[in-house]
Amino acid sequence: MNLAAAGHGFLSPTGVEIAFVLVGLVTLGAALVTVTTRQLVHAALWLVVALGGLAVEYLLLTAEFIAWVQVLIYVGSVVVLLLFGLMLTKAPIGRSPDADSGNKPVAVGVALAAAAALVWVVVDAFRTTWIDLDGAVQGSTKVSGEILFRHWVLPFEALSVLLLAALVGAIVLSRKKKEGQR
């Protein structure tokens, strides 16, 4: 039986694949605007779009639990914490000349090196990986919970402490100094 008789040609994409690519392009665009804008509040709002796009990608990959965790934790908590910190530290709302340090060539070089390393690690890690189709569904709550609490507990808790430290730091920086204090 040839592939054309099966309903799809070798390179004919399905609707889900087309949606995946389109949402991925929107997410990439939002991420680029996030790191290139000079307005801090706009950057945080574009970050919401980028993280929301990732949640949609997880939904398209049928990993509903991970998608909702993405929305609740990253969009709901991390971005709110970031905006809270911006407001408490009285960061400028409009264009900020301080948002550009003048190290764009170095930043682009580091970003390209990091992207190349990430692609190499992911390709190398999954080159010989096979999915057990008889086991639990990858991306299900059971599998995700087992992986999270078996292998990723320490980084998860370290991130929690880091976010708490950022919140406490923003509160300390926002406190008004009383007369007679330094």
Side-chain angles (χ1 to χ4, degrees), residues 40-114:
L40 294 175
V41 175
H42 289 182
L45 295 175
W46 279 108
L47 181 63
V48 169
V49 174
L51 293 172
L54 286 176
V56 171
E57 296 284 44
Y58 286 130
L59 282 175
L60 290 171
L61 291 171
T62 66
E64 293 86 5
F65 175 71
I66 302 297
W68 287 115
V69 166
Q70 174 81 15
V71 169
L72 291 173
I73 293 178
Y74 288 103
V75 176
S77 300
V78 172
V79 174
V80 168
L81 179 64
L82 178 68
L83 288 171
F84 186 65
L86 286 173
M87 287 184 236
L88 281 177
T89 58
K90 296 179 179 73
I93 299 295
R95 289 191 172 270
S96 175
D98 297 336
D100 188 11
S101 68
N103 292 327
K104 285 184 182 176
V106 174
V108 168
V110 169
L112 290 175

Side-chain angles (χ1 to χ4, degrees), residues 122-137:
V122 169
V123 167
D124 187 54
F126 291 107
R127 184 176 317 178
T128 59
T129 300
W130 298 94
I131 296 174
D132 180 19
L133 296 177
D134 295 330
V137 177

Side-chain angles (χ1 to χ4, degrees), residues 1 6 18 50 105 133 157:
M1 179 166 112
I18 292 170
L133 296 177
E157 292 302 322

